[in-house]
Amino acid sequence: MSDNDSKFSDREALRFHSLPKPGKIEIAATKPMATQRDLSLAYSPGVAVPVKAIAENPDCIFDYTARGNLVAVISNGTAILGLGNLGAAASKPVMEGKAVLFKRFADIDAIDIELNSEDVDAIVNAVSLMEPSFGGINLEDIGAPACFIIEQRLRELMDIPVFHDDQHGTAIITAAGFLNAIYLTGRDIKKVRVVMNGAGAAAIACAELLKALGVLHENLIMCDSKGVIHTAREDTLNQWKSAHAIDTEHRTLADAIAGADVFIGLSVKGAVNREMVKSMAEKPIIFAMANPDPEISPEDVAEVRDDAIMATGRSDYPNQVNNVLGFPYIFRGALDVRARTINEEMKIAAAHALAELARSDVPDEVAAAYSGRKYKFGPQYIIPAPFDPRLMEFVPPRVAQAAMDSGVARKPIEDMAAYRRQVSNRLNPTVGLLGEMYDMLTSHDKRVIFAEAEEDRMLRAAVGFKSGGYGTPILIGYEDVVAKKLHDLGADPDEFEIHSARTSTKNEAYTDWLYKRLQRIGYLKRDAQRLVNRDRNVFSACMLANGDADAMVTGLTRNYYQAVENIQLVIDPKAHMQPFGLTIVMSRERTVFIADTVMNERPTGEELADIAQNAAAAVRHLGHKPRVALLSFSNFGQPMREKADHVREAVGLLEQRDVDFEFEGDMAPDTALNPDLLKLYPFARLSGPANVLVMPALHSANISTKLVGALGGAKVIGPILWGFERSVQIVRMGSHTSDVLNMAALAAVGSIDRT
């Protein structure tokens, strides 16, 4: 994220929080509230039934209420951000913001609660009495040392997770970056010398977690405002500071930092100067996390050390220690196994998961969220970006597994692979469908051509395809260029099959084959040779048509319809089948398939019937039971217009063909998708809302799918080409790596014989 993205005026901030309605959260019903019957079920008398069930078995509360996905965000406003003690009411905007982050990043419902008290006993009593309402407690912006006492006592009293994010969230993200930094610098965690400046809640938690990871007690020096915390200090140390006192002759931060491998700052601006940084060990690791300004700026560090790895708490510098990487996903894993607490094992699991994620290839979606900035594991990227879409897949399963292994889970997960898909699906509706597809591919070693392998996005998709065990990628491009790029990605070029049209041993055979195919439609042999030599889509399609591969993906460098024309020079439609495009629209509530979104501009009634029949077969191939609606602006002839005649003709043809799937038409899209509207037509053959929508013409199909994609609220995949003799998929120019990977997988699935 650029510095400009993070800057705004006070007026902008106030407008953001006040318009169009005050605040950042609201309550939304998850059940229909449209009729008297709905109200009777939701409240009296229907609510009495779950009340009795919970009274008989208290665990039923998780089945009949929202408790299992509900977290309380609690503060008394005594340590608001870097602003200090401004009171409970002033903390409310921050706590609302925290609740929004829970929902945005982990699909957890959260309610902010501001307690107007600084009395530890009163706060502990108030929070503990609310246990039946919540699945977890997130403490926030409570000053030290009260925060330690409150958390400790609540953990003892309550049988649900209690987590002070200012302590443990910062510690977990810091630990993840620390693990990657010592990995990059080749250090042994048992020998690393750490100096920590600051002895507040976050610093104490960081020290405890680093020691749990393997840093030796005697190798970590903690400093507060009075200097080094050592065993001979005469002033009174509280129990939390004294736990980290060591026997040392160092008395000042400057003494301690000389020769140190790691500096971790959770203190104040300017606490560290250039001379201190110069005195550190080779390849120093510096976490300067004071907010809003770090203990020393990255610019100052760069002036005296060119070998340092640095992290801060700011978004306008690399390696931001951002708590949003931790608390949503830690609570997600804890809630999903109904953990009694969040223990050290779960924190360590989260830190390792984040460290591992940062080391993996970074998807294009992250660059898109950060103004196009490209990320790659290294000194400038040791901590994942908050908008990495894989955080849900990486962190909650590790946390849940740690909870089970350490004996604090009340609802163990039996199938962790299925859980990983399910938890990812909470925010990304494509995961459920695509997860099944990828599972299918692991038992079929399909050879898939990546026709534009010199393109970074396609090459990363190919590497992901191979590393995921989904099949064998065949890379088309200049061998030396592709090999170098593979090496830069950390992949071994010798493990990949790379082909260049000009140097391929199959060049002559492909040319002869293509010339024989095209010679009677105006092509000379030199035309065929030129196509094979110069057009990678044609060369790749020839490879596919001649049985040297199973499927193909292309499209990043070529207009979609131009790519289709290239493919049609080489590959024919299936016998008695009209090729068409199938677009998948996925929301959290449903998945809908739309046809034809590519090929047939103004289909006749017979062509529309063919599209409906073939779309149903394609949807069944992808693992769904098709219910087909042939769409129009009219509902069953009302109004009767000539423009819908071909739709009604298609319905009649499907009736004559005695097809093996549900279909209906002509009908408007709202009727096809809304069961209440469908009830107005008791003669309709659909048993439920349609999941296959056959559009009356290409323009309506194309406009509608692109409109849905542009407006948001649903994930659009495709169009998926269907109906060619060999399986080919074309991505749109500008597609992300994940889009290319998904289409490659769809191409591979299309090549599987499931008859």
Side-chain angles (χ1 to χ4, degrees):
M1 188 175 295
S2 70
D3 195 18
N4 288 336
D5 292 332
S6 305
K7 290 184 177 179
F8 39 77
S9 67
D10 289 355
R11 187 167 184 267
E12 282 181 281
L14 292 175
R15 284 178 60 84
F16 177 86
H17 283 81
S18 63
L19 299 173
K21 61 173 67 174
K24 298 187 286 286
I25 61 175
E26 65 179 2
I27 302 296
T30 60
K31 302 293 188 294
M33 294 290 159
T35 66
Q36 179 60 46
R37 186 174 185 275
D38 293 338
L39 297 178
S40 297
L41 282 167
Y43 198 57
S44 181
V47 76
V49 180
V51 167
K52 294 175 182 177
I54 294 168
E56 292 176 7
N57 179 5
D59 282 347
C60 286
I61 193 171
F62 294 101
D63 299 320
Y64 301 127
T65 76
R67 182 187 176 188
N69 196 50
L70 190 61
V71 167
V73 179
I74 297 176
S75 181
N76 68 349
T78 52
I80 303 174
L81 301 175
L83 304 173
N85 185 352
L86 299 181
S91 74
K92 188 170 179 63
V94 183
M95 299 312 117
E96 282 191 0
K98 194 82 169 190
V100 170
L101 295 179
F102 267 111
K103 190 65 177 179
R104 163 62 180 82
F105 289 101
D107 194 32
I108 292 172
D109 298 316
I111 295 176
D112 64 294
I113 297 173
E114 293 73 36
L115 298 176
N116 193 21
S117 174
E118 295 185 25
D119 183 277
V120 169
D121 291 334
I123 293 172
V124 169
N125 188 52
V127 176
S128 62
L129 289 173
M130 291 188 286
E131 180 171 348
S133 298
F134 299 100
I137 302 293
N138 183 96
L139 301 174
E140 193 79 16
D141 290 355
I142 300 173
C147 61
F148 299 121
I149 303 169
I150 291 168
E151 185 191 39
Q152 182 177 331
R153 287 178 56 184
L154 288 174
R155 283 166 61 94
E156 293 169 356
L157 288 169
M158 303 181 79
D159 206 27
I160 58 175
V162 178
F163 187 82
H164 185 207
D165 184 49
D166 300 309
Q167 296 179 59
H168 309 299
T170 301
I172 289 164
I173 315 310
T174 301
F178 170 85
L179 289 170
N180 279 336
I182 65 171
Y183 170 83
L184 285 170
T185 56
R187 288 181 163 96
D188 181 350
I189 197 169
K190 298 292 185 184
K191 299 178 181 178
V192 170
R193 283 191 56 220
V194 179
V195 174
M196 187 170 290
N197 197 51
I204 295 291
C206 282
E208 290 174 349
L209 190 55
L210 291 184
K211 290 178 181 179
L213 286 168
V215 173
L216 299 182
H217 173 76
E218 60 269 23
N219 286 348
L220 191 151
I221 297 177
M222 181 177 286
C223 304
D224 62 9
S225 59
K226 297 179 181 179
V228 172
I229 296 173
H230 56 89
T231 53
R233 272 216 356 204
E234 295 181 357
D235 60 309
T236 302
L237 294 173
N238 63 41
Q239 67 187 79
W240 297 280
K241 289 185 182 182
S242 63
H244 299 285
I246 66 169
D247 184 9
T248 178
E249 295 181 358
H250 297 312
R251 293 297 180 263
T252 67
L253 174 60
D255 294 339
I257 204 171
D261 299 300
V262 181
F263 169 77
I264 295 177
L266 289 152
S267 52
V268 294
K269 175 185 178 182
V272 175
N273 59 40
R274 298 177 188 177
E275 292 303 314
M276 292 180 186
V277 173
K278 286 171 68 174
S279 74
M280 292 182 71
E282 184 181 352
K283 297 180 181 178
I285 299 165
I286 301 169
F287 282 66
M289 297 180 284
N291 267 324
D293 297 303
E295 285 80 359
I296 184 169
S297 72
E299 292 86 353
D300 284 344
V301 170
E303 284 194 18
V304 294
R305 299 296 293 258
D306 62 2
D307 59 344
I309 294 178
M310 188 161 185
T312 71
R314 291 177 52 149
S315 63
D316 51 333
Y317 291 123
N319 298 322
Q320 182 193 15
V321 177
N322 190 332
N323 284 20
V324 80
L325 291 165
F327 69 86
Y329 310 104
I330 293 162
F331 268 99
R332 179 76 276 154
L335 293 175
D336 289 340
V337 294
R338 294 185 193 166
R340 293 184 172 88
T341 186
I342 293 173
N343 57 25
E344 208 74 3
E345 292 87 346
M346 296 160 75
K347 297 174 200 171
I348 291 172
H352 278 292
L354 289 167
E356 182 182 326
L357 179 58
R359 292 195 296 270
S360 64
D361 189 39
V362 183
D364 296 327
E365 289 88 337
V366 175
Y370 290 88
S371 304
R373 183 192 300 173
K374 295 288 186 181
Y375 291 98
K376 182 181 179 181
F377 178 61
Q380 299 290 304
Y381 191 77
I382 58 173
I383 300 170
F387 286 96
D388 193 317
R390 301 166 299 171
L391 282 159
M392 278 284 270
E393 179 185 348
F394 267 70
V395 183
R398 301 288 185 86
V399 173
Q401 187 65 57
M404 293 188 289
D405 293 343
S406 59
V408 299
R410 284 177 288 196
K411 183 187 175 186
I413 294 168
E414 295 180 2
D415 186 341
M416 189 55 71
Y419 170 69
R420 189 173 291 107
R421 291 194 300 270
Q422 176 263 320
V423 76
S424 299
N425 194 42
R426 296 188 77 110
L427 294 179
N428 183 355
T430 66
V431 172
L433 171 67
L434 299 180
E436 296 171 6
M437 177 182 71
Y438 283 116
D439 286 347
M440 186 193 311
L441 291 179
T442 57
S443 58
H444 298 81
D445 185 18
K446 293 297 182 181
R447 291 165 51 81
V448 178
I449 299 168
F450 290 77
E452 301 155 309
E454 292 177 14
E455 291 294 313
D456 289 345
R457 288 164 290 163
M458 185 154 284
L459 191 59
R460 288 202 299 272
V463 171
F465 190 79
K466 179 177 176 60
S467 63
Y470 308 132
T472 301
I474 301 170
L475 309 180
I476 307 301
Y478 290 116
E479 289 94 334
D480 55 343
V481 174
V482 174
K484 183 181 183 303
K485 291 197 171 196
L486 284 170
H487 185 269
D488 291 342
L489 289 173
D492 183 355
D494 292 336
E495 295 181 358
F496 289 81
E497 186 176 335
I498 308 173
H499 293 274
S500 170
R502 286 186 177 275
T503 60
S504 171
T505 58
K506 297 290 186 75
N507 185 296
E508 185 177 347
Y510 291 163
T511 299
D512 290 343
W513 180 87
L514 185 61
Y515 176 54
K516 185 176 180 180
R517 173 181 170 82
L518 301 179
Q519 61 190 1
R520 292 188 178 276
I521 56 172
Y523 284 78
L524 302 175
K525 184 166 185 178
R526 64 171 177 263
D527 298 326
Q529 183 73 70
R530 189 181 301 111
L531 285 169
V532 171
N533 282 348
R534 297 183 181 179
D535 194 308
R536 289 176 185 170
N537 285 339
V538 172
F539 176 80
S540 300
C542 286
M543 180 180 285
L544 183 61
N546 282 271
D548 295 326
D550 299 304
M552 168 183 166
V553 62
T554 188
L556 286 179
T557 63
R558 199 73 59 89
N559 175 278
Y560 192 96
Y561 288 99
Q562 187 178 357
V564 170
E565 290 176 4
N566 295 151
I567 301 304
Q568 288 177 309
L569 288 173
V570 184
I571 298 175
D572 289 323
K574 289 182 179 178
H576 311 297
M577 188 170 181
Q578 179 69 27
F580 65 97
L582 185 70
T583 296
I584 308 175
V585 178
M586 306 183 77
S587 68
R588 292 183 62 186
E589 288 75 31
R590 69 177 84 190
T591 297
V592 174
F593 302 85
I594 300 177
D596 166 26
T597 53
V598 175
M599 301 295 294
N600 300 279
E601 185 174 357
R602 292 184 179 275
T604 64
E606 185 171 359
E607 287 171 338
L608 207 58
D610 291 342
I611 291 168
Q613 198 164 351
N614 293 327
V619 168
R620 187 176 281 127
H621 190 85
L622 292 171
H624 288 247
K625 181 181 178 181
R627 290 188 300 275
V628 179
L630 289 93
L631 297 188
S632 175
F633 57 86
S634 58
N635 279 309
F636 307 106
Q638 180 56 42
M640 187 70 72
R641 294 289 188 273
E642 183 181 345
K643 292 287 187 182
D645 285 349
H646 66 306
V647 180
R648 289 187 286 273
E649 180 187 349
V651 173
L653 289 170
L654 290 174
E655 291 171 345
Q656 295 173 21
R657 294 177 186 180
D658 193 25
V659 296
D660 62 349
F661 58 87
E662 296 180 21
F663 67 93
E664 193 53 274
D666 57 308
M667 59 200 310
D670 54 346
T671 305
L673 297 172
N674 187 329
D676 291 329
L677 290 178
L678 194 58
K679 288 177 184 176
L680 297 175
Y681 307 95
F683 54 84
R685 287 169 284 216
L686 297 182
S687 60
N691 60 357
V692 182
L693 306 180
V694 177
M695 293 291 184
L698 181 58
H699 63 277
S700 55
N702 214 291
I703 290 170
S704 59
T705 53
K706 289 183 176 179
L707 190 62
V708 170
L711 290 176
K715 174 73 173 178
V716 178
I717 299 177
I720 303 166
L721 280 178
W722 218 271
F724 285 99
E725 284 186 342
R726 305 306 300 264
S727 185
V728 180
Q729 295 303 335
I730 302 172
V731 299
R732 298 283 187 185
M733 290 191 297
S735 294
H736 293 148
T737 296
S738 59
D739 299 322
V740 179
L741 180 56
N742 288 338
M743 294 302 278
L746 283 163
V749 168
S751 71
I752 297 172
D753 185 0
R754 300 180 69 184
T755 57

